[in-house]
Amino acid sequence: MRITHSLNSVLERWLPEQRLFLKSDKTTRFLRLRPVTQLIALGGIALVFGWSIIASSILAIDAISAGSSRDQARRSQDAFEARLTDLSAERDSRAAEAVAAQNRFAVALDQVSRMQSQLLESEALRRELETGLGAVQASLQEAVTAQHQARDDADHPGGLPAARTTELQAALDILSGELKQAATDRADAVQQAEDARRLAEAVTLERDQIVARNDEILTQLEDAVTVSVKPLDDMFRSVGMNPDDILQTVRRGYSGQGGPLNPVGYSSSGNAEISQGEAKANEILITLDQMNSYRIAVEKMPLAMPVQSAFRYTSPFGRRWGRAHEGIDMAAPVGTPVYATAEGKVIFAGWQRGYGNLIKIQHELGTETRYGHLSKIRVKAGQKISRGSRIGDMGNTGRSTGSHLHYEVRVNGRAVNPMSFIKAAQNVF
């Protein structure tokens, strides 16, 4: 009491004692407001006012940050789609270049084969001409000998007649003409063989350049697709999903084949460089198929935001009040639109204890999303919906302290942190 009296004495200079009179028809009463009481009342009012200012600032900051995050997610998604489009165009361009290079290489090999055949034919003709030339030389030698013998017989009486001499001279002229023709044909064959050899060397050099260029293109394409696949692989691992299982599931759903089958022609003039290029091209095709399967899986997963208006996070995933909170809470006014985060099928739409008005959507790849505490449900069980479809309105139904959305993501029946999906989408998009 002594301390209170001293404090009142000190504060009376700034807060003089006030009296509040309460008058009725018969009596008059008053309340004495001492300086300490006035100080406590003023402090309470200031505390409430300051708390109101701080809460309003937090709400404004959260609204601004939520809007910025949504815009950033939209821009990131647009950038990812543009990146995929550019990569697909580059892949098609590289594939076209590889096919063109392969065609040019096949044409060059065909030319080399033809030139080699011509060279072999020229060599065979040369050997035939050499054989014929030997025969002609032998015949010429015999003709010369016969001519000398005829002259000797003509110089001596009783020699060969003049008709025989004329016949031998004609045979000699014919053999001389054949010899000249054979020599000319041989020179032409040698020249053709030399031209074929030079052409074969030029085609071989062009073939090597085409193989080197093809290998460079395939290497660049392999690096590009490898860099593009790694973020998708990391994204699935970050949300606790096995990428191999996802790829198998997607391939089972997209495994159609068909078309007529025709005989395949095989070239016998291939080499190790071509085989290596084909092996690398097959590896690139496998990686591109993996990336395309990942892209299909991304389109099926709940990576979008369920609330696109301004909101604030009010409760994270994890333990809360001694119990497991298997989702995240996003607070906004009653009636705020709630959207599906991926395409799927509505498996439940109604009231459930604790959740209030609840919507459950089953997606592919074993994922499920839940949207609780809704004020209005705009879908029915069994209905198929697409990503971004409005499914309900935010509310305050069930076990709730205020208007908000309770958002859950489950993988194979197990609740996971929805923020891992949201952050994964931001990292990839």
Side-chain angles (χ1 to χ4, degrees):
M1 294 296 293
R2 189 174 299 173
I3 295 174
T4 304
H5 181 70
S6 300
L7 186 58
N8 285 327
S9 299
V10 173
L11 296 175
E12 191 172 5
R13 179 178 177 183
W14 295 279
L15 299 172
E17 182 178 317
Q18 303 291 332
R19 294 183 180 183
L20 180 61
F21 289 92
L22 303 175
K23 185 176 181 181
S24 63
D25 293 338
K26 297 180 179 180
T27 59
T28 299
R29 298 180 181 180
F30 68 91
L31 295 177
R32 179 180 297 175
L33 300 177
R34 296 182 178 277
V36 174
T37 304
Q38 297 179 41
L39 180 62
I40 293 173
L42 292 174
I45 293 172
L47 182 62
V48 171
F49 182 73
W51 179 84
S52 300
I53 293 176
I54 294 173
S56 300
S57 300
I58 293 175
L59 287 174
I61 293 173
D62 288 342
I64 295 173
S65 62
S68 300
S69 300
R70 185 172 63 257
D71 295 338
Q72 183 178 2
R74 186 179 296 108
R75 289 194 299 269
S76 300
Q77 184 175 3
D78 294 339
F80 176 70
E81 293 177 353
R83 179 182 177 187
L84 286 180
T85 302
D86 294 340
L87 184 59
S88 298
E90 183 178 0
R91 176 199 63 189
D92 297 338
S93 176
R94 297 300 185 186
E97 291 181 4
V99 171
Q102 190 69 21
N103 293 334
R104 291 196 301 271
F105 181 66
V107 172
L109 287 179
D110 186 56
Q111 292 178 353
V112 170
S113 178
R114 289 199 302 270
M115 293 304 174
Q116 288 177 347
S117 299
Q118 293 178 0
L119 185 60
L120 292 176
E121 293 176 357
S122 300
E123 185 66 20
L125 180 60
R126 184 182 64 82
R127 287 206 259 330
E128 292 178 359
L129 292 176
E130 288 179 351
T131 302
L133 183 60
V136 169
Q137 288 177 349
S139 299
L140 180 61
Q141 187 175 3
E142 292 177 357
V144 170
T145 303
Q147 184 182 16
H148 290 309
Q149 183 65 33
R151 288 177 179 176
D152 292 339
D153 293 340
D155 293 338
H156 297 85
L160 291 176
R164 179 62 176 170
T165 303
T166 303
E167 182 180 353
L168 290 176
Q169 184 64 39
L172 182 61
D173 294 339
I174 293 173
L175 290 176
S176 298
E178 291 180 354
L179 181 61
K180 291 179 180 180
Q181 183 65 35
T184 303
D185 293 341
R186 182 178 183 278
D188 294 339
V190 171
Q191 183 63 35
Q192 291 178 359
E194 182 65 21
D195 294 340
R197 185 185 64 79
R198 286 197 295 269
L199 181 59
E201 292 178 354
V203 171
T204 302
L205 179 60
E206 183 180 2
R207 190 271 317 265
D208 295 338
Q209 292 176 351
I210 291 174
V211 170
R213 177 57 179 166
N214 191 25
D215 184 70
E216 181 182 357
I217 293 173
L218 292 177
T219 301
Q220 294 176 356
L221 186 58
E222 183 180 18
D223 294 339
V225 296
T226 301
V227 171
S228 300
V229 166
K230 189 177 185 304
L232 295 172
D233 188 81
D234 294 340
M235 183 198 73
F236 286 109
R237 295 186 186 277
S238 67
V239 298
M241 302 178 71
N242 190 340
D244 296 333
D245 295 339
I246 292 174
L247 292 176
Q248 292 178 1
T249 303
V250 172
R251 286 165 182 164
R252 283 196 299 268
Y254 296 83
S255 58
Q257 295 181 351
L261 299 177
N262 297 318
V264 179
Y266 296 94
S267 173
S268 60
S269 57
N271 52 32
E273 290 81 1
I274 298 177
S275 300
Q276 293 177 359
E278 291 178 351
K280 183 174 291 187
N282 290 331
E283 292 178 359
I284 293 174
L285 290 176
I286 293 173
T287 308
L288 288 174
D289 177 69
Q290 181 180 0
M291 185 177 68
N292 188 49
S293 300
Y294 274 150
R295 183 177 182 180
I296 294 173
V298 167
E299 293 176 354
K300 306 296 183 183
M301 291 181 60
L303 299 176
M305 290 291 294
V307 179
Q308 299 180 6
S309 303
F311 69 91
R312 62 183 295 261
Y313 292 106
T314 56
S315 183
F317 176 88
R319 297 187 62 83
R320 184 181 68 179
W321 304 331
R323 301 184 65 181
H325 184 234
E326 297 181 336
I328 59 175
D329 292 341
M330 305 176 182
V334 175
T336 299
V338 176
Y339 302 93
T341 55
E343 65 177 18
K345 180 179 180 181
V346 179
I347 59 176
F348 181 84
W351 180 274
Q352 184 169 327
R353 183 180 178 183
Y355 287 98
N357 288 329
L358 174 67
I359 297 175
K360 296 181 182 179
I361 300 178
Q362 182 68 47
H363 310 283
E364 296 187 21
L365 305 177
T367 58
E368 174 189 332
T369 54
R370 298 184 178 184
Y371 311 80
H373 308 306
L374 302 176
S375 63
K376 185 176 182 180
I377 297 176
R378 297 179 178 268
V379 293
K380 298 180 180 179
Q383 180 179 346
K384 293 185 178 180
I385 51 92
S386 59
R387 175 182 292 180
S389 299
R390 185 174 181 178
I391 59 176
D393 299 342
M394 190 180 297
N396 189 25
T397 59
R399 189 169 60 248
S400 172
T401 60
S403 175
H404 73 285
L405 170 67
H406 175 81
Y407 176 58
E408 291 186 15
V409 177
R410 294 177 178 266
V411 178
N412 297 324
R414 179 178 58 88
V416 297
N417 190 355
M419 290 301 299
S420 62
F421 282 83
I422 296 174
K423 291 179 180 179
Q426 292 176 351
N427 292 335
V428 173
F429 297 156

